[in-house]
Amino acid sequence: MPDLTKPTLVWTLTWDADWVTAVAFLGSSRRVAAGNNLGGVLVWDLPEKPGGDPPKPLLKLDGHTNCVSKLACTPDGKTLLSSSYDHSVRLWDTAARATGEEKLVLNATAIADAERRKSNGAKVPPPIPATVGVVKTSQVFDGHKEWVTALELSRDGKTVLSGDDGGHVVLWDVAGKRVAKRWQVKGWVAALALSPDQKQACVGERVPLVFDSGRHAGLKLWNVATGEVAFDLSAEFKGQHLGAAAYSPDGKVLVVGRGGESEGTLTLVDPVAGKKGKALAPIHQYGATDLAFHPDGKHFASAGRDTVVRVWEDATGKLVSELGKPRGGQFKDWVHAVSWSADGAWLAAADMAGAVQVWHFAG
Amino acid sequence: MRCSLSLPLVAAAALLSGPAGRAAEPPLRAVIDSELKAGWKKAGIAPAPRSSDAEFLRRVTLDLVGTVPTHDEAVAFLADARESKREKLIDTLLADPRFARQQADVWDQVLFGRHPGNADATRKRDGFKAWLAKQFADGTGFDRVAREVLVGEQPGTELFQVQFRNQPEEATIAVSRVFLGTQLGCAKCHDHPYDRWTQKDFYGMAGFFVRVVIEETSSGNTKTYTVAEKATGEVLFSGAAKDQQPGKKGEPVRPRFLGGDELTEPPAPKDAKEQQPKAGAKLPKPPFSRKEKFAEWVVAPENPYFARAVANRVWAQFMGRGIVHPADDFQAENAPSHPELLAALTRTLAASKYDLKALIREVVNSEAYQLAGTGPITDALPKHFERARVRPLTAEEIVLSLRTATSFDAAGKPPTPDDYFMRAFGEPTNGLGDFQGSLAEHLFWNNAEQVRVFARRKKGNLTDQLLASTDPWEKRVEHLYLSVLGRRPKPAEVSKFVAFITGDAKPEPRVEDAVWVLLTSSEFRFNH
Amino acid sequence: MSPLCRAGEHLSRRAFLKGAAVTGGGLVLPNWGGLAHARSAAEAATKAKKRCILLWMNGGASQIDTFDMKPGRPTGGPFRPIQTKVTGLQVCEYLPKVAAVADKLAVIRSMKTHSPDHPDGIYHMHTCYKMSERTPHPELGAVIAKFNGDLGSDLPTFVRMGSCGNAGAGYLGPAHEPFSLGREGKLGAFTSPYLAADAEMKRAELFRFVEGEFAADHKAEPFDSHRTAKERAWRLLRAKAVFDISKEWPAARERYGDTDFGRGCLMARKLVEAGVPFVEVGHENYDSHADNFVCHKANMQHLDLAWPALLTDLADRGLLQDTLVVWMGEVGRTPQINNRAGRDHYIRAWTIVLSGGGIRGGQVYGATDADGKDVRDNPVSEGDLFATIYKALGINHRAKHLSGVRPVWLTPEGSQPITELLG
């Protein structure tokens, strides 16, 4: 068993074309995919053991035209789903063959910045080149008419819950892309999660206005079958919109994290009774961005706008370990997303600074 | 042309020779009247008649103690048959403790205005006003007052400098305006187009303030300020605003007294480094204080600007216009309307060691001050002083006058919501002294509970007195007029008010409304 | 009933006096609105001088996310442009209704201004002068109130709601001070008389008697100014019904959007229709140093309803040709996107939109470079913008006043109206 108290940063996979906004391990393979703010998706094959130079990406998945908001992969590793601000969710066959090749410089932005500041003595770093195979084929789920901001795949990898800035929450199946249920919340979907039995959905809503009377934030637990509200926790989370939500594999714990820019408090919720529980400390200063349960079902990881990933024990809310440190400055950049490997010994984090951090927990 | 003094020659000569050389000078009040009469004759103007006793009583009471006279004061003064009753009244009011407070209110506004800089620190100025009031109560010469305000080290005086925190330019503009009667604002960005002042003059003056440091210490919610001074630091001048370029460095400008010499100061040691006080510690007093030198120069007898600026301002305070008008704009293109008179006022003020009370006594004893407010002229501030000036009451005066007029304090001293009054009446003019009625003011008068509270019946107050009295209504209307306007009503007014009040079976609402009408009338709103 | 004929609208003091005469000089308050309820209301309004509505984007809207889009550039952000029927004018995908009225808009993409922060920028973009000057400059609204307003009218001449200007009437004085409504267009403090209508009338009559007695031998201007303002306040209270949009709102809610800003825009329309020469409506939430895109998306969804609805309503009523509608804030926002997903203040190259009275719509004026970092063509200063606005409203932009002894002009020396923008 990996010791979750002992994280080691083993590789930083540079990709600084823009913010890296989403990340997911592909099934139980060594492959990890990441998406960025421009709509690009790259896939890396990680070495079996820590050490050595960071691996180079193998594939580029070409299709999105705007920010990739979330990535998720079926447990069999065969289908990667990506949601985007281009209103689509794409489904990628991970076995698809590349139809072309492209040469990338993974640190092109850093080089350009240094070139610009050369006269002030900036050092231009050596380029990190990579050649990737380009995959252009994917299926499109077009059931959204707005930025798709949230995406959750059921444990069995067969059902998707996705939500958008138009307030639409859609339940659909991976195999046929058929919509099973659709409902609309007040405002926009800020974050969502699907319970393991697929009977309940947690949806955070918002209208991001500050002073106008039209501002809105809400947190509701929905009965998926009927599209009705089971529990409305908006009053308990008054004025707070969610940055992330996740159910434990046994369905007994729901963790919600407050979004930015605010005190990114993580709170445990009893989803069966619809009761707000313990608030965890410390907070993700300026907001939480993502939550991911460990395969053991007893731990989860959280990410936020403080460039720190934290690992927690879900039964007690105890902090187990912290991955990384706040990078300094009044406002920190973000870790947008986190993903566990199937064996629970590896964690990948999507870093706004233009990289995927790969952490290892020795066993 | 650049002459060293823009004062009329006569005045300059008078300043230099001093009052000792003029043993047989007539009292100032007589000079005032003879000078103004000469002006009327020259302009072919007939002045307004002498004010009525009631009119004078109200005017001088407001001007000297900041409120309208009470009913009883009005009755007593109107009944007084003595020839000298006006002079006696003036003496009484000048000896009243409220005189010092009223003067403090007036000068607080001169020194700060309604929107001083560094608003968080200067919004509440009770301490500063108390300090000012004490100086007026003690009869401290105004040269001493000015010096202390400029240096800002005596406890209570700090806020004047605090309002300019980090802005020596703002200090230069304000200090020149208030204490020297000179507008330097234009010369900040370019050479003054209408006056002799250049940017060099401006930045020469700014050199006296460039080292001022405002230190802030807080304990709990209260902050205290100290006006300290660094030992080093210069104004850097880089030419006219229109020629400014990014990266252009400025040349240090030596401090120079306005229209006078550069400051002589001991040279700073070559490797002088500014001492950084430890956290929480005060900056040590510098070996050489520029601001002290400046303050001494301002009030020195040789300074041609200070005495005339103060004299002119006091005149304007009571007569509406300055002899140089606006009062803080002495310059070649803005000649005094009565140069001899200004010279006399200036001379008297300096000779009296800047005793403002003595100067005020002369002004308000003049026939000119005591002219009626009637006549065909529509100017609020007649150019030849041929009619009493009309000025809106300040917010502070309105609150006090409402209290006085309605016997508001008859049952204890209920607080009044001064903030509301400040908002409604704080700025009755367009910034140039021209009164403009505003919608907001009248919505407040008309609908505010904060106003109504003065008119509504309450035990012992005016409305209650009127309702409780068994006198005939004619007599009660007279009581109402004397209380609010300090005069007896005309017959038409009596019959109209009696008809109004008795026109309803229940007199109480009508009496309240009658009181309200007089309180919101223009006769009450202004000093005239 | 004619659609131009709406309860509670009345235009001038003359109309009031006429109506009052009908009732024998009495001020019959409850029926007041009906009295001046003339068929020619809109007609009379259009005969009056030009009016102006300022839609104030408080905090500073992002030009790159609205009217000067840079798709595919590093500064472009996640929004996509849509084409309008005006050549060269693409706007944000979240402004489709604005795009549909693009023929009415003159988009200035080349604002280059000088005050980068809020208080100073708000002052500068309301007065066209820097805040640090000692002269108390008047806001746009006060200037328009003075030159195009009628102090004899029942209604205030300078009305505003929401977060707006910070300079007030300056040297023009209290008569031209703004009359502030609540953010949602509600009347402010002290607008509800505590007396019943008949008691109010009797009290007013006694006041007029007292003033008449005093005025017989007291002729100084301030007295007159005092009682004139009192009469204005009374007329305003009687005209209060104009500020009540509860009847119009249900029908307008969907078009204007059920927001403070939507209600404000409907109120603005109603007020200019009733003859108010200047109305400012503040729209909040633009100061997005963090999360710029979601904030702007939310704002644009409101803006895209209220603004086109206002323009369309004005046009339908024949009022747009005499009503200048200005869309601006105090600053633009940086092309660079910061690490809070925000954009900061930017004054080197940003956008303002004019439409309606005196403006030639359907054009883009000025241009920025590929990333929107600098003005490429035709930079426009605060003074030029204000000169253009004043010219469009028939006001001499070099009109002179005295502040103390200093002569001051409505716009700084060298300011020029931009003739290409004027119709």
Side-chain angles (χ1 to χ4, degrees):
Chain A
M1 280 298 288
D3 180 356
L4 296 182
T5 63
K6 294 210 166 64
T8 316
L9 178 64
V10 289
W11 299 297
T12 296
L13 313 179
T14 300
W15 178 27
D16 76 358
D18 210 311
W19 311 338
V20 177
T21 50
V23 68
F25 274 94
L26 304 189
S28 51
S29 76
R30 295 298 299 153
R31 289 196 173 191
V32 68
N36 81 355
N37 196 34
L38 300 175
V41 178
L42 294 187
V43 180
W44 289 258
D45 205 355
L46 302 181
E48 291 293 335
K49 298 238 175 321
D53 288 341
K56 300 279 180 71
L58 297 175
L59 291 174
K60 179 181 171 193
L61 309 186
D62 198 358
H64 285 300
T65 57
N66 209 335
C67 175
V68 174
S69 52
K70 300 284 174 193
L71 288 170
C73 191
T74 53
D76 60 12
K78 285 183 180 164
T79 309
L80 175 70
L81 289 88
S82 56
S83 62
S84 168
Y85 287 6
D86 68 10
H87 305 186
S88 72
V89 179
R90 285 183 181 265
L91 297 87
W92 309 85
D93 175 0
T94 55
R97 305 249 320 251
T99 51
E101 217 176 67
E102 194 174 320
K103 288 191 188 313
L104 302 176
V105 176
L106 296 169
N107 61 343
T109 304
I111 291 170
D113 284 351
E115 292 281 0
R116 239 193 330 273
R117 292 182 293 111
K118 223 172 174 176
S119 60
N120 295 337
K123 271 211 170 139
V124 180
I128 310 173
T131 305
V132 290
V134 181
V135 174
K136 285 186 184 281
T137 319
S138 59
Q139 300 180 59
V140 174
F141 174 76
D142 60 2
H144 291 284
K145 301 284 174 251
E146 252 288 356
W147 292 1
V148 187
T149 51
L151 178 79
E152 170 111 315
L153 199 53
S154 62
R155 296 267 144 189
D156 59 11
K158 290 183 177 157
T159 308
V160 185
L161 188 70
S162 54
D164 65 36
D165 268 356
H168 288 273
V169 182
V170 188
L171 189 77
W172 49 285
D173 73 308
V174 172
K177 303 196 290 317
R178 286 174 300 259
V179 174
K181 189 79 199 170
R182 170 192 285 274
W183 71 92
Q184 194 173 5
V185 300
K186 186 183 172 192
W188 309 356
V189 176
L192 56 71
L194 183 64
S195 68
D197 62 7
Q198 302 180 37
K199 287 183 178 161
Q200 192 183 66
C202 165
V203 183
E205 324 169 353
R206 67 159 166 177
V207 176
L209 297 166
V210 186
F211 299 103
D212 196 276
S213 60
R215 68 184 168 274
H216 168 69
L219 169 52
K220 290 168 192 166
L221 306 184
W222 297 77
N223 181 326
V224 173
T226 62
E228 284 167 356
V229 176
F231 301 104
D232 185 348
L233 299 175
S234 304
E236 283 90 333
F237 291 85
K238 193 170 168 12
Q240 307 181 13
H241 75 263
L242 292 194
Y247 286 90
S248 63
D250 63 4
K252 288 184 179 157
V253 178
L254 168 66
V255 192
V256 296
R258 189 177 179 190
E261 272 188 4
S262 62
E263 295 186 346
T265 310
L266 304 180
T267 309
L268 303 179
V269 174
D270 175 348
V272 181
K275 286 263 184 290
K276 181 180 177 178
K278 186 177 177 181
L280 310 188
I283 60 165
H284 282 288
Q285 182 85 50
Y286 307 119
T289 53
D290 199 15
L291 291 162
F293 266 88
H294 190 266
D296 70 5
K298 297 189 173 97
H299 297 89
F300 65 91
S302 64
R305 298 189 177 194
D306 50 3
T307 58
V308 180
V309 175
R310 296 194 174 88
V311 179
W312 310 80
E313 197 175 80
D314 69 350
T316 58
K318 203 182 96 197
L319 179 69
V320 176
S321 55
E322 286 199 347
L323 287 60
K325 285 198 179 99
R327 270 204 284 266
Q330 187 193 355
F331 293 98
K332 327 295 188 286
D333 6 339
W334 316 350
V335 170
H336 270 103
V338 286
S339 176
W340 292 100
S341 64
D343 64 5
W346 302 76
L347 180 141
D351 185 341
M352 186 189 213
V356 178
Q357 305 169 6
V358 182
W359 295 80
H360 182 243
F361 301 86
Chain B
M1 190 185 81
R2 271 187 74 109
C3 56
S4 64
L5 283 176
S6 64
L7 273 181
L9 281 180
V10 184
L15 265 178
L16 295 175
S17 62
R22 302 178 165 243
E25 186 149 14
L28 185 59
R29 65 188 76 172
V31 178
I32 292 170
D33 288 322
S34 66
E35 287 294 327
L36 292 192
K37 272 178 194 152
W40 296 332
K41 198 172 167 196
K42 204 168 146 198
I45 285 172
R50 180 174 155 92
S51 56
S52 70
D53 281 346
E55 193 178 7
F56 171 75
L57 170 69
R58 183 175 187 275
R59 181 188 303 160
V60 76
T61 308
L62 274 165
D63 274 346
L64 295 182
V65 299
T67 179
V68 294
T70 65
H71 170 273
D72 294 353
E73 284 165 353
V75 169
F77 187 72
L78 295 177
D80 191 340
R82 288 176 300 173
E83 181 78 6
S84 61
K85 70 175 178 179
R86 292 195 179 190
E87 195 171 354
K88 292 266 182 314
L89 172 68
I90 290 167
D91 291 342
T92 309
L93 293 173
L94 287 173
D96 191 305
R98 291 176 298 173
F99 169 76
R101 200 222 53 237
Q102 167 72 357
Q103 289 302 301
D105 277 353
V106 168
W107 280 96
D108 170 74
Q109 278 306 297
V110 171
L111 296 170
F112 290 92
R114 291 284 183 211
H115 302 286
N118 203 356
D120 286 346
T122 55
R123 191 170 293 119
K124 282 212 167 296
R125 300 189 297 275
D126 297 348
F128 188 89
K129 283 194 205 177
W131 180 86
L132 265 182
K134 182 167 191 314
Q135 309 314 307
F136 287 112
D138 293 351
T140 311
F142 196 74
D143 54 343
R144 289 268 311 284
V145 174
R147 187 198 174 276
E148 295 306 334
V149 165
L150 284 167
V151 172
E153 286 172 6
Q154 217 181 85
T157 62
E158 301 89 350
L159 288 191
F160 179 72
Q161 287 285 359
V162 167
Q163 69 181 318
F164 311 120
R165 173 145 70 178
N166 298 333
Q167 294 177 301
E169 294 96 333
E170 291 298 309
T172 304
I173 291 169
V175 166
S176 307
R177 203 171 53 72
V178 172
F179 294 105
L180 308 175
T182 300
Q183 300 276 349
L184 282 185
C186 295
K188 181 181 165 190
C189 307
H190 49 76
D191 291 348
H192 201 303
Y194 312 108
D195 207 350
R196 44 186 285 230
W197 308 122
T198 65
Q199 279 189 285
K200 283 280 167 88
D201 291 303
F202 181 86
Y203 289 101
M205 287 279 282
F208 292 103
F209 304 107
V210 73
R211 296 177 174 179
V212 172
V213 175
I214 306 302
E215 294 176 321
E216 185 181 308
T217 44
S218 39
S219 71
N221 282 333
T222 51
K223 283 183 178 157
T224 49
Y225 299 90
T226 318
V227 181
E229 196 172 12
K230 292 184 294 182
T232 59
E234 300 294 344
V235 170
L236 298 179
F237 175 64
S238 57
K242 64 182 171 53
D243 302 325
Q244 300 298 302
Q245 293 292 335
K248 190 169 168 183
K249 294 245 164 55
E251 296 291 321
V253 180
R254 303 272 315 133
R256 191 160 62 84
F257 299 112
L258 189 66
D261 298 330
E262 271 188 8
L263 174 71
T264 31
E265 62 184 331
K270 270 219 179 71
D271 53 350
K273 266 210 171 155
E274 191 59 49
Q275 279 187 307
Q276 288 302 327
K278 293 211 178 84
K282 301 273 186 219
L283 204 61
K285 204 172 161 64
F288 183 87
S289 168
R290 283 188 181 179
K291 71 176 159 75
E292 272 178 22
K293 284 281 173 273
F294 179 78
E296 281 156 20
W297 169 80
V298 165
V299 301
E302 305 78 42
N303 182 325
Y305 311 110
F306 177 67
R308 66 175 194 183
V310 175
N312 190 50
R313 191 174 281 281
V314 170
W315 173 265
Q317 183 187 338
F318 293 91
M319 302 300 290
R321 302 171 61 86
I323 295 172
V324 167
H325 188 75
D328 49 16
D329 194 35
F330 281 79
Q331 51 148 313
E333 301 287 307
N334 191 26
S337 58
H338 301 75
E340 294 283 354
L341 175 54
L342 178 60
L345 294 168
T346 305
R347 205 159 54 227
T348 310
L349 181 65
S352 71
K353 298 203 163 61
Y354 293 90
D355 181 349
L356 291 198
K357 192 184 273 192
L359 183 63
I360 291 167
R361 190 187 309 274
E362 291 304 303
V363 172
V364 298
N365 266 299
S366 70
E367 290 172 25
Y369 176 79
Q370 298 185 17
L371 291 178
T374 54
I377 313 159
T378 57
D379 285 357
L381 315 173
K383 287 193 177 55
H384 303 275
F385 307 102
E386 68 269 37
R387 192 208 66 215
R389 56 89 173 91
V390 175
R391 72 163 176 88
L393 305 193
T394 63
E396 293 86 347
E397 289 170 333
I398 287 176
V399 174
L400 282 175
S401 296
L402 288 170
R403 295 183 97 116
T404 306
T406 62
S407 301
F408 188 70
D409 301 341
K413 276 210 166 192
T416 48
D418 291 353
D419 283 354
Y420 284 95
F421 283 85
M422 207 53 78
R423 227 171 294 154
F425 307 109
E427 290 163 285
T429 82
N430 59 0
L432 315 180
D434 301 330
F435 175 84
Q436 288 185 347
S438 80
L439 271 179
E441 168 177 336
H442 283 285
L443 290 173
F444 181 73
W445 276 128
N446 206 73
N447 302 333
E449 178 60 26
Q450 289 83 354
V451 172
R452 190 184 186 187
V453 72
F454 290 103
R456 188 193 274 133
R457 184 175 192 175
K458 201 188 65 182
K459 187 144 184 55
N461 75 354
L462 174 61
T463 303
D464 186 54
Q465 292 162 17
L466 295 170
L467 286 162
S469 164
T470 52
D471 287 341
W473 275 109
E474 286 75 8
K475 195 83 194 143
R476 288 191 252 177
V477 168
E478 183 179 289
H479 182 84
L480 167 64
Y481 264 77
L482 281 164
S483 300
V484 180
L485 299 176
R487 68 171 171 92
R488 294 203 159 83
K490 294 180 277 186
E493 290 169 331
V494 173
S495 53
K496 182 79 182 181
F497 270 74
V498 170
F500 177 81
I501 293 168
T502 56
D504 198 307
K506 284 183 291 181
E508 183 167 330
R510 291 298 182 87
V511 170
E512 179 190 322
D513 287 354
V515 171
W516 181 93
V517 162
L518 291 193
L519 291 178
T520 66
S521 68
S522 44
E523 188 170 350
F524 187 79
R525 179 69 181 85
F526 299 92
N527 193 4
H528 42 84
Chain C
M1 204 166 99
S2 157
L4 297 181
C5 175
R6 317 186 84 81
E9 283 167 9
H10 38 283
L11 296 166
S12 66
R13 192 178 190 182
R14 207 163 354 133
F16 157 60
L17 292 172
K18 205 168 141 203
V22 174
T23 63
L27 314 174
V28 185
L29 306 189
N31 295 330
W32 166 251
L35 286 177
H37 191 188
R39 171 170 287 275
S40 60
E43 214 175 286
T46 50
K47 273 186 199 149
K49 290 176 175 161
K50 288 197 164 70
R51 282 138 286 156
C52 178
I53 296 173
L54 172 55
L55 305 179
W56 179 255
M57 303 299 110
N58 201 47
S62 166
Q63 67 284 357
I64 288 184
D65 300 311
T66 51
F67 290 96
D68 193 12
M69 305 202 71
K70 302 294 177 188
R73 302 297 306 178
T75 53
F79 299 132
R80 300 294 176 248
I82 51 174
Q83 183 58 46
T84 69
K85 51 196 152 181
V86 175
T87 315
L89 179 57
Q90 294 186 319
V91 302
C92 179
E93 58 182 321
Y94 287 100
L95 296 172
K97 290 194 165 68
V98 171
V101 295
D103 58 323
K104 296 182 175 29
L105 309 178
V107 176
I108 306 172
R109 282 184 176 155
S110 50
M111 291 308 301
K112 197 174 173 72
T113 59
H114 302 89
S115 295
D117 221 321
H118 298 300
D120 59 334
I122 290 169
Y123 185 95
H124 210 150
M125 292 309 294
H126 275 89
T127 65
C128 77
Y129 282 91
K130 267 188 115 69
M131 195 180 196
S132 52
E133 286 194 19
R134 291 300 283 187
T135 308
H137 290 283
E139 284 179 32
L140 184 64
V143 171
I144 294 168
K146 177 180 171 177
F147 284 92
N148 289 11
D150 172 11
L151 285 180
S153 109
D154 290 355
L155 295 171
T157 47
F158 174 3
V159 180
R160 68 183 181 192
M161 50 207 120
S163 296
C164 289
N166 55 3
Y171 60 68
L172 295 181
H176 306 292
E177 280 292 347
F179 182 72
S180 295
L181 304 179
R183 194 199 297 280
E184 66 303 303
K186 283 215 180 76
L187 275 175
F190 310 125
T191 49
S192 299
Y194 57 79
L195 287 185
D198 59 335
E200 181 91 37
M201 194 175 75
K202 286 185 181 125
R203 191 174 79 168
E205 201 257 330
L206 185 67
F207 176 86
R208 291 194 184 102
F209 163 80
V210 166
E211 288 299 306
E213 290 294 310
F214 187 64
D217 54 1
H218 291 86
K219 305 293 187 193
E221 278 162 356
F223 304 130
D224 193 44
S225 176
H226 179 77
R227 50 186 162 256
T228 305
K230 174 91 76 201
E231 294 287 349
R232 276 186 76 205
W234 281 332
R235 289 202 308 278
L236 170 69
L237 291 172
R238 288 194 298 269
K240 252 173 82 169
V242 175
F243 296 95
D244 178 7
I245 57 165
S246 59
K247 282 197 189 68
E248 293 93 333
W249 185 238
R253 177 164 44 209
E254 202 160 320
R255 287 187 304 120
Y256 280 81
D258 194 2
T259 61
D260 294 342
F261 185 65
R263 272 184 292 276
C265 284
L266 179 67
M267 175 69 80
R269 188 208 85 198
K270 203 176 168 196
L271 291 176
V272 295
E273 216 172 351
V276 174
F278 181 88
V279 185
E280 179 168 0
V281 190
H283 195 203
E284 273 288 1
N285 312 308
Y286 284 97
D287 193 22
S288 41
H289 293 278
D291 298 310
N292 172 73
F293 304 104
V294 288
C295 287
H296 269 67
K297 182 152 85 170
N299 274 356
M300 282 190 277
Q301 289 174 353
H302 294 177
L303 184 67
D304 190 52
L305 293 172
W307 184 12
L310 172 66
L311 293 179
T312 305
D313 270 9
L314 288 172
D316 288 351
R317 285 164 167 71
L319 292 167
L320 187 58
Q321 58 188 359
D322 291 307
T323 309
L324 173 65
V325 180
V326 180
W327 179 88
M328 70 172 173
E330 64 267 38
V331 290
R333 306 210 76 83
T334 44
Q336 299 87 340
I337 299 160
N338 65 25
N339 69 352
R340 300 159 69 191
R343 296 192 195 261
D344 302 308
H345 305 169
Y346 203 63
I347 55 172
R348 286 167 66 95
W350 58 291
T351 299
I352 278 171
V353 181
L354 307 178
S355 58
I359 295 297
R360 191 161 64 77
Q363 63 164 323
V364 176
Y365 183 84
T368 55
D369 60 21
D371 284 323
K373 289 184 176 166
D374 271 303
V375 170
R376 205 182 59 209
D377 300 322
N378 297 328
V380 178
S381 68
E382 296 91 340
D384 294 340
L385 174 75
F386 274 61
T388 308
I389 290 172
Y390 289 142
K391 177 95 178 170
L393 295 169
I395 297 168
N396 173 12
H397 72 279
R398 289 293 286 166
K400 187 167 115 176
H401 294 81
L402 287 176
S403 173
V405 290
R406 284 183 73 183
V408 282
W409 292 267
L410 288 187
T411 57
E413 198 175 347
S415 307
Q416 284 296 337
I418 300 159
T419 49
E420 291 93 322
L421 290 169
L422 296 164

